Amino acid sequence: MSSTGKTIRELARELRTGATTPRVLLDEAMAHIGAVDSRVHAYLSLTRELAERQADGAARMLEERPDDASPLCGIPVALKDVLCVEDVETTAASRVLKGFRPPYTGTAVQRLFDAGAVCVGKTNCDEFAMGSSNENSAFGPVGNPWDVERVPGGSSGGSAATVAAGSVPYALGSDTGGSIRQPASLTGVVGFKPTYGRVSRYGLIAFASSLDQIGPLTRSVEDAALVYATIAGHDPRDSTSDPRALDDPVTALREGVAGMRLGVPREYFGSGIDPAVRASVEEAMRVLEALGATLQEVSLPTTDAGLSTYYIIAPAECSSNLARYDGVRFGLRVDDPSLTEMYMRTRDEGFGAEVKRRVMLGTYALSSGYYDAYYRKAQKVRTVIADEFTRVFQDVDALVCPTSPSVAFTMGEREDPLSMYMCDVVTLPVYLAGLPGISVPCGFIDGLPVGLQVIAPRFEDARVFRVAHAYEQATDWHTIRSPLAEVAA
Ligand code: GLN
């Protein structure tokens, strides 16, 4: 197995003992990607030149001040192609941005680079992060490393798949309504979505600005905490970035779950959940109980409204955010003597079917005749959903439930958009309330991974890590690697 089948922690140790070097890790990652990516298609571009420069810089940092160097120093990372990196093509998996080279690097990514991270490439995703299966990429779908005929989940499917395949120890994804946790669950890795406002969105191509957050996909909960600690924190360039001080997520890992009260939301175990997924998650709850947590059933009665509320708010925001792709400023332009025709033809050729569907839904919901009936109503329901979580968190410290109603499905299986939207039924309400959450591997069904979801109150991100880490350390699901991780690079 390539050494990149290891965790960040393990590699950081090896870099310090001299067992490996940033250049060796980079070469191994690139070789592994070369060996598996024709099947997985996790990458839209590779950034070898940038990576070589960064690996050499990291080697210097490790040599000059090994004790001060970040645990991420010298370790390869892949970035979802919605994250801007200066002068590196960034497409959001859309034809409309083909050839776009951002003039700057976003804050979260810059913080990784400052810590000595080595960027191997930009990962495939659903177009503008709209989707749950990664089949909406304009440049072709991503295969799940556990079975390449199946989807890896979405929209951060490429980021999840490359970690699950064993090519890199971690990747960044973005999450609007499930796009980190759901693919993490379907590919058997850890995926963490921070509290809204914790990680700067500066340099993240916007889908729905009041929901979007950047977060890590990793092979262990501790690694997710390490990456989060590096990218989180106030950024004056993002007006929704929160100035509150950060609890140290890595220290919290050691606290364990003894004495914690964990809520089990009744509605998240309803009829839409595959019984085998439910059984795996119930088994995980028994593990948490054995570790000293108490479990208690709770109710979130407006769960049902989460999906419809999200599918008003997210398209409304996307219709506004995507108005900027008009052929004038970025990427694609389809020339026409008439300016209006040029706009229309650029957008027609540049956007895929799902993006167009959302722009139309959103424009409709925001139009003057329907604004009150749809958009304003959805915002009110969003407040009710958030209040419901606040009430439940008076009685419990965190919630545990499935991440996804099913394991990875076959490509092409869910053509009907509604059945695709159902993929996020258990992650969406959490997003509407801006809460932090994680998915951690908790079993397999017919060789396909299942994820346990842990949710905490806003700004209690450290608590999410604490529960997930305690569970992970008591089980060995996270140590089981996908068949592609064994492919010799
Ligand atoms: N699957 C959801 C959607 O299609 C969420 C996507 C996301 O979180 N970016 O909108």
Side-chain angles (χ1 to χ4, degrees):
M1 180 167 53
S2 149
S3 68
T4 45
K6 297 177 180 165
T7 62
I8 295 173
R9 246 317 174 225
E10 288 164 339
L11 295 175
R13 211 170 294 131
E14 291 184 9
L15 283 167
R16 281 159 184 76
T17 61
T20 190
T21 68
R23 272 280 186 162
V24 169
L25 292 183
L26 169 61
D27 289 344
E28 283 174 347
M30 288 295 191
H32 193 266
I33 294 165
V36 303
D37 212 48
S38 58
R39 279 173 282 170
V40 182
H41 195 208
Y43 288 86
L44 293 178
S45 59
L46 294 175
T47 48
R48 183 177 272 279
E49 235 172 77
L50 169 67
E52 285 178 355
R53 255 184 290 129
Q54 290 177 326
D56 293 344
R60 276 194 301 276
M61 275 158 95
L62 285 164
E63 203 181 286
E64 283 161 18
R65 35 189 184 91
D67 298 334
D68 300 339
S70 154
L72 305 181
C73 185
I75 296 185
V77 60
L79 303 173
K80 183 175 180 179
D81 205 26
V82 291
L83 295 162
C84 290
V85 179
E86 186 181 347
D87 208 27
V88 170
E89 187 183 32
T90 300
T91 66
S94 180
R95 276 188 301 273
V96 96
L97 278 176
K98 191 79 194 116
F100 170 60
R101 289 179 180 270
Y104 67 97
T105 299
T107 301
V109 173
Q110 190 60 51
R111 288 183 182 176
L112 289 185
F113 289 178
D114 292 345
V118 177
C119 173
V120 298
K122 306 295 296 289
T123 59
N124 202 347
C125 55
D126 283 304
E127 185 176 1
F128 284 103
M130 297 173 197
S132 309
S133 68
N134 223 127
E135 292 166 293
N136 294 340
S137 165
F139 308 116
V142 174
N144 188 320
W146 294 89
D147 173 353
V148 292
E149 303 295 310
R150 289 177 187 266
V151 305
S155 63
S156 309
S159 288
T162 188
V163 176
S167 302
V168 288
Y170 77 109
L172 288 189
S174 71
D175 202 303
T176 305
S179 279
I180 291 176
R181 277 183 279 179
Q182 189 255 9
S185 175
L186 269 47
T187 58
V189 300
V190 173
F192 173 66
K193 182 254 170 187
T195 297
Y196 182 80
R198 267 313 191 198
V199 177
S200 168
R201 291 181 296 109
Y202 181 71
L204 166 66
I205 293 180
F207 162 13
S209 313
S210 77
L211 296 155
D212 298 339
Q213 272 293 282
I214 299 168
L217 292 118
T218 60
R219 296 209 177 94
S220 75
V221 175
E222 183 186 22
D223 281 3
L226 286 171
V227 178
Y228 170 66
T230 308
I231 63 176
H234 184 239
D235 176 17
R237 286 175 161 147
D238 170 2
S239 61
T240 59
S241 160
D242 197 277
R244 255 166 273 206
L246 211 62
D247 286 346
D248 176 8
V250 184
T251 312
L253 295 177
R254 290 193 280 274
E255 289 168 12
V257 289
M260 273 184 107
R261 298 160 305 164
L262 301 179
V264 182
R266 187 184 312 142
E267 293 78 7
Y268 289 24
F269 289 79
S271 54
I273 309 289
D274 177 338
V277 169
R278 191 183 310 148
S280 288
V281 172
E282 283 169 354
E283 185 59 41
M285 288 173 186
R286 283 193 280 280
V287 172
L288 287 164
E289 235 167 4
L291 293 170
T294 49
L295 267 77
Q296 131 188 11
E297 189 177 87
V298 295
S299 177
L300 293 160
T302 48
T303 296
D304 271 355
L307 199 70
S308 27
T309 307
Y310 173 85
Y311 278 99
I312 301 274
I313 293 175
E317 293 187 18
C318 109
S319 73
S320 156
N321 276 326
L322 271 55
R324 71 190 64 160
Y325 305 110
D326 54 7
V328 176
R329 283 160 294 184
F330 312 93
L332 182 76
R333 170 182 298 180
V334 181
D335 275 321
D336 194 283
S338 140
L339 182 65
T340 315
E341 281 294 317
M342 186 280 281
Y343 291 154
M344 294 202 311
R345 290 185 55 194
T346 299
R347 289 171 70 82
D348 185 30
E349 285 183 31
F351 290 143
E354 184 61 27
V355 172
K356 286 177 185 161
R357 180 179 298 125
R358 306 245 182 148
V359 169
M360 284 191 278
L361 280 173
T363 307
Y364 183 83
L366 288 176
S367 61
S368 64
Y370 296 99
Y371 182 91
D372 286 331
Y374 293 107
Y375 187 71
R376 192 187 297 275
K377 178 75 86 30
Q379 288 293 13
K380 287 183 180 164
V381 179
R382 182 179 188 174
T383 306
V384 173
I385 291 174
D387 289 348
E388 228 168 66
F389 279 107
T390 308
R391 180 180 51 69
V392 161
F393 282 128
Q394 284 168 0
D395 299 328
V396 296
D397 302 310
L399 299 173
V400 283
C401 57
T403 307
S404 160
S406 72
V407 291
F409 46 93
T410 312
M411 284 185 198
E413 189 183 310
R414 300 202 181 173
E415 283 187 340
D416 158 31
L418 274 184
S419 83
M420 190 67 88
Y421 295 173
M422 286 303 288
C423 293
D424 299 316
V425 68
V426 280
T427 45
L428 287 176
V430 179
Y431 291 86
L432 292 167
L435 310 175
I438 202 163
S439 181
V440 59
C442 75
F444 289 87
I445 299 169
D446 299 331
L448 299 168
V450 186
L452 167 73
Q453 180 175 208
V454 182
I455 302 160
R458 288 190 73 199
F459 299 106
E460 298 293 348
D461 302 62
R463 204 182 286 170
V464 163
F465 290 120
R466 185 176 156 191
V467 177
H469 181 73
Y471 173 77
E472 181 193 72
Q473 294 307 300
T475 56
D476 59 8
W477 304 116
H478 64 290
T479 63
I480 303 172
R481 300 277 179 257
S482 75
L484 291 186
E486 307 302 330
V487 170

